[in-house]
Amino acid sequence: MTSFTKSMFDDIKTSLENNSKSGGNFRDLLKTEKGNSYLVRFIPNVKEPKRTFYHYYHHGWQSEKTGQYISATCPTTWGDRCPICEERIKLYRDGTEESKKLAYLLKRKENWLVNIYVITDPKNQENNNQVKILRYGKQVQKIIDDAMSGEDADEFGAAIFDLSKDGCSLRLKVEENEGGFPSYTSSRFLTKKAIPGMTADKIEEVHNSVFELDKLFDLMTYEDIAEMLNEHTTLNVETNNASTKKTSSKSNTSNTSNINDDDSNDDDSNDDDSNDDDSNDDDSNDDDSNDDDDDDTDAKIQDLLKDL
Ligand SMILES: [Zn+2]
């Protein structure tokens, strides 16, 4: 113990704290429930403004073999090939009912993440005055686009990232659509208003508490995702990505650990009903804009076909 100084302990504690804060985990996502309104203020990443939002694609489905919920960030998020997207093209081409069903199961979903300061969470008041991560889909993105650069930009603009009295909060209204899924279309930014208890010092503290959104999910390689497909669907796909060279047998280990990570995340969501709602959110966003989505899917498939 002699050489173990207090400053070393402080370093360890700090590194732990940093670790837990930097990327965040699934518990840091704000869980929303239908029939409730949440008042939140967006937090900019003041050190790296470009990392204020994280826009990503992902796949998630109930394993056809084990029943567990399987998910992976789609590598098209960062411009790489995705074995799931490629398999979906083949399934569409195949055209049988069974193939189309699997293609739908493996569909690509689009979401965004942003750091938020929670002003009012009616269901979980312990979230009030906390920094959380908001995960949302196209409906909310449209409201944000309008506020930032669209027809509402004059009224809102940069104010949606302002934590002072000159800032505008988002009222996230979660309604139920005809299909029983959550709908966010009645959400809107409100007029400028101070956040109760917010001071200049507190604003600085909040700015320094943002999560690194792009580190929330474990990223998997092409091979890992292909293995996952073989393990959790009836497909038997080539796990070798011809365009990237993969070395060593290490991939097996990392593959397993990635899947386990995903499993543990999903365990979280299974433990928690509202998290299940979150996964429904994704569906509802897709369902609500079915036409757009099909167009989008077709365009992407055309794009992908060019590469084959
Ligand atoms: Zn994909």
Side-chain angles (χ1 to χ4, degrees):
M1 190 65 193
T2 46
S3 59
F4 187 70
T5 63
K6 183 176 182 308
S7 84
M8 285 166 78
F9 182 57
D10 286 343
D11 279 351
I12 294 169
K13 276 203 298 188
T14 311
S15 76
L16 268 180
E17 282 158 13
N18 284 346
N19 278 341
S20 61
K21 199 64 186 172
S22 62
N25 64 47
F26 283 78
R27 286 184 183 83
D28 298 313
L29 288 167
L30 180 73
K31 299 171 187 98
T32 59
E33 291 181 36
K34 286 178 285 191
N36 291 284
S37 286
Y38 299 77
L39 195 62
V40 305
R41 186 79 53 99
F42 285 8
I43 309 169
N45 186 325
V46 290
K47 291 188 187 115
E48 296 174 87
K50 283 181 180 168
R51 295 174 76 192
T52 294
F53 292 101
Y54 181 59
H55 176 207
Y56 69 106
Y57 298 98
H58 58 108
H59 303 273
W61 72 94
Q62 208 97 31
S63 168
E64 294 190 307
K65 292 183 179 166
T66 66
Q68 64 193 129
Y69 191 79
I70 303 300
S71 63
T73 303
C74 177
T76 60
T77 297
W78 52 93
D80 280 354
R81 289 175 55 193
C82 169
I84 302 179
C85 289
E86 289 174 1
E87 282 310 307
R88 289 187 67 229
I89 294 169
K90 291 177 196 160
L91 289 165
Y92 271 122
R93 277 180 180 160
D94 187 34
T96 66
E97 280 310 307
E98 202 180 336
S99 298
K100 277 195 264 182
K101 215 170 124 189
L102 184 54
Y104 183 76
L105 192 69
L106 299 176
K107 71 183 170 175
R108 194 179 75 160
K109 303 168 187 181
E110 182 177 24
N111 280 96
W112 288 259
L113 303 175
V114 66
N115 282 283
I116 50 166
Y117 184 83
V118 180
I119 303 167
T120 312
D121 178 338
K123 296 297 283 185
N124 294 294
Q125 295 190 0
E126 68 272 18
N127 287 338
N128 295 345
N129 308 311
Q130 301 292 318
V131 174
K132 301 291 252 182
I133 300 170
L134 178 65
R135 175 170 61 184
Y136 61 87
K138 287 176 186 169
Q139 292 177 346
V140 174
Q141 182 59 30
K142 187 182 180 313
I143 295 163
I144 295 170
D145 279 343
D146 283 347
M148 284 176 65
S149 52
E151 55 188 14
D152 299 332
D154 286 346
E155 188 180 355
F156 300 112
I160 68 169
F161 300 107
D162 189 343
L163 289 155
S164 79
K165 63 178 173 44
D166 296 320
C168 300
S169 301
L170 175 71
R171 185 200 281 144
L172 187 71
K173 196 169 180 183
V174 193
E175 296 170 311
E176 185 170 324
N177 71 12
E178 285 175 1
F181 292 109
S183 164
Y184 305 89
T185 51
S186 300
S187 304
R188 63 184 182 96
F189 287 98
L190 305 181
T191 51
K192 292 176 181 176
K193 196 172 178 187
I195 300 171
M198 187 60 75
T199 61
D201 284 349
K202 176 84 177 162
I203 289 176
E204 199 178 335
E205 189 191 318
V206 172
H207 281 162
N208 289 327
S209 305
V210 292
F211 298 101
E212 292 184 70
L213 303 171
D214 45 4
K215 294 188 178 162
L216 182 64
F217 306 112
D218 291 320
L219 303 183
M220 296 169 74
T221 63
Y222 185 101
E223 290 80 1
D224 291 341
I225 297 174
E227 290 270 3
M228 195 172 95
L229 265 180
N230 287 340
E231 209 165 317
H232 296 288
T233 67
T234 49
L235 295 169
N236 185 14
V237 306
E238 178 62 56
T239 57
N240 208 9
N241 180 4
S243 71
T244 59
K245 288 208 172 72
K246 179 86 181 176
T247 51
S248 87
S249 57
K250 198 174 141 230
S251 63
N252 277 339
T253 341
S254 67
N255 179 17
T256 313
S257 77
N258 268 323
I259 288 177
N260 285 341
D261 285 349
D262 279 342
D263 289 350
S264 66
N265 295 335
D266 297 327
D267 287 345
D268 286 345
S269 72
N270 284 337
D271 289 345
D272 194 320
D273 289 336
S274 58
N275 253 334
D276 290 336
D277 283 348
D278 276 345
S279 61
N280 284 337
D281 291 356
D282 299 340
D283 288 342
S284 89
N285 284 331
D286 291 342
D287 289 345
D288 284 338
S289 48
N290 243 339
D291 294 343
D292 292 349
D293 230 52
D294 287 345
D295 290 343
D296 186 47
T297 307
D298 285 347
K300 299 294 176 199
I301 287 175
Q302 291 300 330
D303 268 2
L304 285 165
L305 283 172
K306 274 188 260 164
D307 297 337
L308 292 180

